Amino acid sequence: MAGARALVAACCCWWWLAKAAATELDLLGALSLHNTSHAGVSVAPGMQPQRTAYTLEGDTRSLQVEGTAFERAAELLRRSPEFTILAALRQEPANSGTILSFSHGYNRYLEVQSSGRRDEVRLHYVAAGASVPRVETFPFRLADGAWHRLALAVSGAQATLLVDCHPLYRRLIPPPDRNFTQPQLALWVGQRNSKHSLFKGTLQDVRLVSGPHGYLVQCPGLDSECPTCGQFALLQATVQELTSHIHDLSLKLVGAEARLARLEQCDCQKSCYSNGTVHADGATWQRDCNRCSCVHGEITCRPVECDRVECKNPVLHPGECCPTCLRRCLLQGELYEHGDRYTPKECAECVCHDGNMQCTRTDPETACPPLPCDPADQFTVPGECCKFCPGVDYCSMGHSCDENATCMNLNTKYTCKCNQGFRGDGITCEDVDECQEAGGRFGHHCHSFTRCVNVVGSYVCQCLPGYTRRDKFNCVEVDECVGEAHGCHTEAVCTNTPGSYTCQCRDGYTGDGYTCTPICTGGCLNGGTCSAPERCSCPRGFGGARCERDADECAAAGACVPRALCVNTPGSYYCVCRDGYRRDPQRDHCQDVDECTEGFHTCHSSARCVNTDGSFKCECDTQPCELSCSWQGRVVADGARWAEGSGCHACSCNAGVASCVRAPCACDLHGNTSLTIQSAEASLPVAPAACCPHCEPRYRCRHQEMHHVTFRSGERWLYQCQICECLLGEVDCWEPECDEAGGGCCTDAGGTWRAPHRLELAGCAPHCPACQVPTRTTCGRAKLERARHNSPRTGELWLDI
């Protein structure tokens, strides 16, 4: 028994290791870049001298793995729950590019992306059984212009990120889908598709590795003794499969033993026992009128088969199983069957009986019934023995007519006649299907636009669809489009046709005519719905022809509490205290900052600081005294103006109070933006072009799908449930972040409790947890708890909830 267990264990381990064997695919090699010329691709020195590296640049590139290489990559990921994506790379700072992507159009199926904008490595994937892609974000600055080795390993429900052979993150995730059944799925290297998320930098040794510990291909010195999640899951599945097989074998063994036990009790010859008689296997015998046989110990019986008889009145003799024919009779040159009757003359009847014609005579005086009429009125009928009275109702005395026939009296008897719509001899009548023929006694008379429907004893002329009855046999056409009888959609045109009608959607709508939906070319974004041709109904927070533009919630009065500024964000907004105020965590409002007490003022040391609401002022009590400004370790004269941040900010000193504001850009002054330019800012010197990248057309970005929609540098929008931003011509998208500052316990200006404002889009799962509406007591306690651990500072940001 122990040997058998050892053998099973050895087979299990061999099978497990065979299935877990690693295979790999070199994607850059599959592209054959060294033999072809690709726009935006050039050979460059790499991290590993023995392998070729390629520099990717520009905005026009197409590095798609196709054909057998794509099928091999898909099959490599299908057959194993463990795979690793490897790459050696040097990414330009601030670039947000895709390293490897399985995608269909703009939709990601499995993608590894590095964002130099937010210093993140992202794994986009579709979980098994889901349809919407998920994202797992690993904070790490990969885009720093230096060479790195990246390994992202997925093992069952675990994802591990290694950079330069150092394990950085290990997380539990829903297992990715590996069916690769998405339509038009494509594999790209260095980009998501032909236009978006272009990687800029140098790539080398981009590989897909199937199996456990795939990172050992890149880092052979790392530890691989511990089993991975995928190996453990595979081993667990193998044990469960073997357990199931053993269970099935046990059940089959128990069944086999039971059958053997029954066979030991059976006769080896499989004979049959019947009424104390033993019949051998295969024997047949007759019992009464049944023929029986013994087949493998089982007796089966069936009636004896009889030959067909050729006579009219066969006879079954006692003790016999089959009827036989008796002899016929010959009388006056004519043959009569056994049982036939013959009347040679009145009051005489002969019957054929097995070849003999037996004749008898009837006495009219004793055999005929008494008649109710006088003897003088009685009459005889040729061929009849008894006399008759005239006018007798024979039908009332009993008849054998069919229920669908009428009984009719004759002089000496009655007769039966089938009713209208039936045919037969009167004794038996069958329904006539008038619809089988047109006209005549037994045909129908349905005319225009009707269909004959047979009923018992008659027929009905049924109007065809689209027609109405004029009389019993004719119908006329109905114009369904005149009334409301048609089922066309309100945005469809109804056209009458012979016996029916057709529906066709109007211009600007699509559908079958019974259901018409408006057409919005390019669709509606951010949860918008197409409400009319080329017109989208946008959800709260969005606007534009296709809901691609973020609406400015800050334009509405009362969005934030007093003394706070409203800052618009894609699909939402948040509030920030104005300069000179800070947030009070206990009452959720902006309170004045005492710059004089806390040392935030810029008064000269000889002047006295006086706090004001939202600011301060400098006063001279004694002489000598200066109303100049103390600014970053130096003294600036009263009335002086200077620039900060390479001219992006304009500063001034006014009676000891120093302040700085953003210098206006030329395009802002000319009304080319939605930003509001204050009159004070309009008088300031124009900022240099380096401070205003949003004014440069070359730094604009196109929308991922609607290429006619462009965004300026610094603008943000929502796409596929992610926040996207354009910065210097580069597009980066990330998951919305949940703000925890409010905690669900904030009030508006009137002190009314309300829930936090969350980002909710149609088709997107709520990104942040649902808000609870607390009581004043619990909110106060929560605010005090936050106040102990998080001391707010001047200018602190929080969501207005």
Side-chain angles (χ1 to χ4, degrees):
M1 189 66 180
R5 290 180 178 176
L7 179 61
V8 171
C11 293
C12 176
C13 290
W14 176 86
W15 179 86
W16 173 39
L17 292 174
K19 290 193 71 172
T23 56
E24 58 182 274
L25 175 63
D26 182 1
L27 296 178
L28 288 177
L31 288 170
S32 302
L33 297 178
H34 57 284
N35 292 330
T36 58
S37 175
H38 286 266
V41 181
S42 59
V43 178
M47 189 177 188
Q48 305 174 25
Q50 67 274 20
R51 296 184 180 274
T52 306
Y54 299 93
T55 297
L56 310 182
E57 54 190 356
D59 297 328
T60 303
R61 192 192 313 153
S62 182
L63 298 182
Q64 182 180 356
V65 179
E66 301 177 292
T68 57
F70 171 79
E71 294 298 333
R72 184 183 171 193
E75 183 61 27
L76 183 144
L77 297 180
R78 279 195 197 103
R79 66 188 182 193
S80 174
E82 299 184 89
F83 61 89
T84 305
I85 299 173
L86 303 175
L89 55 91
R90 182 176 60 188
Q91 186 178 9
E92 294 181 4
N95 170 249
S96 293
T98 294
I99 301 169
L100 179 145
S101 178
F102 285 91
S103 63
H104 46 108
Y106 304 101
N107 301 309
R108 295 157 295 215
Y109 182 73
L110 176 64
E111 176 181 313
V112 177
Q113 181 190 23
S114 171
S115 171
R117 298 277 308 285
R118 298 178 63 85
D119 293 336
E120 294 173 349
V121 178
R122 302 168 186 156
L123 171 63
H124 300 272
Y125 66 99
V126 175
S131 59
V132 179
R134 302 171 60 95
V135 60
E136 193 69 27
T137 302
F138 305 95
F140 186 81
R141 187 182 182 187
L142 201 62
D144 56 1
W147 278 100
H148 294 285
R149 286 179 292 181
L150 174 71
L152 185 57
V154 176
S155 177
Q158 178 176 284
T160 304
L161 176 68
L162 300 90
V163 177
D164 296 329
C165 298
H166 296 291
L168 299 181
Y169 296 96
R170 182 171 293 140
R171 296 179 181 173
L172 292 178
I173 63 172
D177 181 74
R178 296 183 292 111
N179 291 327
F180 287 85
T181 56
Q182 299 282 358
Q184 301 178 347
L185 194 64
L187 173 57
W188 300 84
V189 177
Q191 55 197 105
R192 179 175 305 148
N193 48 47
S194 59
K195 298 180 179 179
H196 297 103
S197 196
L198 301 179
F199 179 89
K200 294 183 179 180
T202 305
L203 286 178
Q204 183 183 36
D205 196 24
V206 180
R207 292 175 179 267
L208 274 177
V209 181
S210 173
H213 305 295
Y215 53 83
L216 295 180
V217 176
Q218 188 181 75
C219 307
L222 290 181
D223 179 27
S224 64
E225 294 180 358
C226 296
T228 63
C229 288
Q231 287 177 317
F232 181 78
L234 186 60
L235 181 58
Q236 188 178 33
T238 304
V239 172
Q240 292 177 351
E241 185 178 355
L242 290 176
T243 303
S244 177
H245 287 331
I246 293 173
H247 179 69
D248 293 342
L249 289 175
S250 299
L251 293 178
K252 292 179 180 178
L253 181 59
V254 172
E257 290 177 347
R259 288 193 295 272
L260 287 174
R262 288 196 300 268
L263 287 175
E264 291 175 353
Q265 300 175 359
C266 295
D267 185 0
C268 294
Q269 296 181 353
K270 299 181 181 179
S271 56
C272 300
Y273 298 87
S274 176
N275 295 329
T277 304
V278 179
H279 300 277
D281 186 20
T284 60
W285 68 95
Q286 184 169 334
R287 183 173 62 192
D288 297 330
C289 288
N290 292 317
R291 183 166 296 278
C292 302
S293 60
C294 178
V295 180
H296 300 301
E298 299 289 339
I299 298 176
T300 57
C301 296
R302 59 183 179 179
V304 175
E305 295 182 1
C306 298
D307 296 332
R308 182 179 179 183
V309 293
E310 300 296 336
C311 57
K312 185 166 57 174
N313 301 308
V315 176
L316 180 63
H317 294 288
E320 296 183 359
C321 297
C322 296
T324 58
C325 293
L326 299 184
R327 292 175 297 174
R328 294 182 293 178
C329 301
L330 178 63
L331 180 64
Q332 297 180 358
E334 187 174 352
L335 289 174
Y336 294 89
E337 293 281 347
H338 169 76
D340 285 352
R341 296 180 180 272
Y342 168 67
T343 305
K345 58 181 180 179
E346 296 175 359
C347 299
E349 184 181 43
C350 299
V351 179
C352 178
H353 182 78
D354 194 17
N356 295 320
M357 186 65 76
Q358 300 176 355
C359 297
T360 58
R361 185 179 183 280
T362 303
D363 185 3
E365 297 296 332
T366 59
C368 293
L371 299 178
C373 58
D374 294 335
D377 296 331
Q378 297 176 5
F379 62 91
T380 59
V381 177
E384 296 290 339
C385 179
C386 300
K387 295 182 179 182
F388 297 91
C389 290
V392 176
D393 187 0
Y394 297 100
C395 292
S396 64
M397 299 171 64
H399 64 83
S400 58
C401 298
D402 189 88
E403 63 178 351
N404 293 313
T406 301
C407 178
M408 302 176 65
N409 288 299
L410 301 177
N411 288 332
T412 61
K413 56 182 178 180
Y414 65 88
T415 186
C416 300
K417 182 181 180 181
C418 291
N419 297 333
Q420 180 70 28
F422 297 90
R423 66 176 58 175
D425 58 2
I427 305 300
T428 302
C429 299
E430 296 180 353
D431 176 53
V432 176
D433 188 355
E434 295 86 354
C435 298
Q436 296 297 324
E437 57 180 287
R441 178 183 176 188
F442 297 106
H444 71 87
H445 297 273
C446 297
H447 293 163
S448 305
F449 310 120
T450 62
R451 179 171 62 91
C452 178
V453 178
N454 184 62
V455 296
V456 178
S458 184
Y459 64 93
V460 175
C461 298
Q462 189 178 75
C463 292
L464 296 177
Y467 296 87
T468 185
R469 184 171 301 282
R470 186 176 68 183
D471 54 36
K472 183 178 179 180
F473 303 102
N474 296 278
C475 297
V476 294
E477 184 183 358
V478 176
D479 188 354
E480 295 87 353
C481 296
V482 173
E484 299 296 331
H486 64 82
C488 297
H489 191 265
T490 55
E491 296 298 340
V493 177
C494 177
T495 303
N496 189 55
T497 60
S500 184
Y501 62 94
T502 60
C503 304
Q504 184 176 6
C505 293
R506 303 180 188 274
D507 292 341
Y509 293 84
T510 182
D512 58 1
Y514 299 95
T515 301
C516 298
T517 56
I519 300 174
C520 293
T521 306
C524 301
L525 303 176
N526 297 319
T529 57
C530 189
S531 58
E534 304 301 338
R535 187 173 67 193
C536 294
S537 295
C538 302
R540 180 173 59 87
F542 297 94
R546 295 295 179 266
C547 306
E548 76 282 359
R549 295 287 181 183
D550 171 48
D552 188 0
E553 291 88 353
C554 296
C560 295
V561 296
R563 301 176 176 178
L565 290 175
C566 179
V567 180
N568 186 53
T569 61
S572 184
Y573 66 95
Y574 65 89
C575 300
V576 57
C577 286
R578 298 177 183 271
D579 291 340
Y581 299 93
R582 73 158 63 97
R583 177 184 170 215
D584 183 352
Q586 297 185 16
R587 292 190 296 168
D588 282 326
H589 78 132
C590 294
Q591 64 180 5
D592 176 54
V593 175
D594 190 346
E595 294 87 353
C596 300
T597 303
E598 299 185 17
F600 297 150
H601 66 88
T602 58
C603 296
H604 190 267
S605 57
S606 61
R608 179 171 61 91
C609 177
V610 179
N611 185 58
T612 61
D613 186 24
S615 184
F616 64 94
K617 63 181 179 179
C618 305
E619 296 181 351
C620 288
D621 293 336
T622 60
Q623 294 297 331
C625 177
E626 295 184 18
L627 292 180
S628 56
C629 298
S630 296
W631 179 258
Q632 297 183 358
R634 70 179 189 273
V635 176
V636 182
D638 181 22
R641 295 177 177 271
W642 69 97
E644 293 282 349
S646 301
C648 298
H649 290 83
C651 303
S652 63
C653 177
N654 184 16
V657 179
S659 60
C660 295
V661 296
R662 181 183 65 85
C665 297
C667 62
D668 298 338
L669 294 174
H670 290 85
N672 294 328
T673 180
S674 60
L675 298 176
T676 303
I677 305 300
Q678 303 293 336
S679 58
E681 294 184 11
S683 61
L684 297 175
V686 177
C691 303
C692 307
H694 61 280
C695 297
E696 295 285 341
R698 60 192 179 100
Y699 288 143
R700 293 180 180 176
C701 305
R702 295 186 180 275
H703 191 274
Q704 288 92 329
E705 295 186 37
M706 305 172 62
H707 296 163
H708 63 283
V709 177
T710 60
F711 299 94
R712 297 191 302 170
S713 181
E715 280 192 288
R716 293 184 176 185
W717 66 98
L718 279 171
Y719 177 70
Q720 292 185 341
C721 304
Q722 290 189 318
I723 295 177
C724 299
E725 182 180 22
C726 175
L727 187 62
L728 301 179
E730 292 269 352
V731 176
D732 190 21
C733 302
W734 60 89
E735 292 290 308
E737 296 178 355
C738 299
D739 188 284
E740 299 179 355
C745 297
C746 294
T747 61
D748 58 14
T752 302
W753 298 96
R754 55 180 179 173
H757 178 74
R758 297 185 297 128
L759 182 63
E760 294 182 359
L761 298 175
C764 302
H767 180 73
C768 302
C771 305
Q772 302 295 328
V773 180
T775 63
R776 294 176 179 267
T777 303
T778 57
C779 284
R781 187 180 303 114
K783 293 175 185 177
L784 290 175
E785 195 65 26
R786 292 196 306 272
R788 292 194 188 103
H789 293 86
N790 301 308
S791 299
R793 298 182 300 273
T794 302
E796 181 183 14
L797 308 183
W798 79 94
L799 287 179
D800 182 36
I801 35 186

